[in-house]
Amino acid sequence: TTPTVRINGATRFDVSLELLRFAQDAGYFQNVSRAWVVTGNGFADALSVSAVASAETVPVVLVPGTDAALSPTVRDAIDSLN
């Protein structure tokens, strides 16, 4: 059986980045150079892009959506896909 792994963070945005790191460590997103960035404040944004992201095998990264630009942490996580 596959062991259960708990992925956590202080906020849903932190969990999103930790999930991306975990997936990369597990071998996912090896030849991916982009991600869908959506606001995590509403249910509809992430839900509406999830099917497209799955079909494209591209990660979804949640952000607060309150800033004009991506935080350095989010930018580094997306850059790590290259």
Side-chain angles (χ1 to χ4, degrees), residues 25-76:
D25 290 346
Y28 294 95
F29 310 126
Q30 294 299 312
N31 297 313
V32 175
S33 60
R34 63 188 178 91
W36 284 97
V37 178
V38 298
T39 62
N41 291 328
F43 180 70
D45 290 344
L47 179 62
S48 62
V49 78
S50 63
V52 174
S54 177
E56 296 177 345
T57 316
V58 174
V60 175
V61 178
L62 300 179
V63 297
T66 55
D67 300 325
L70 296 177
S71 71
T73 305
V74 172
R75 187 178 309 277
D76 289 346

Side-chain angles (χ1 to χ4, degrees), residues 1-18:
T1 62
T2 303
T4 300
V5 176
R6 183 174 296 268
I7 299 172
N8 57 29
T11 67
R12 70 187 82 182
F13 313 110
D14 295 336
V15 172
S16 173
L17 294 176
E18 289 301 319

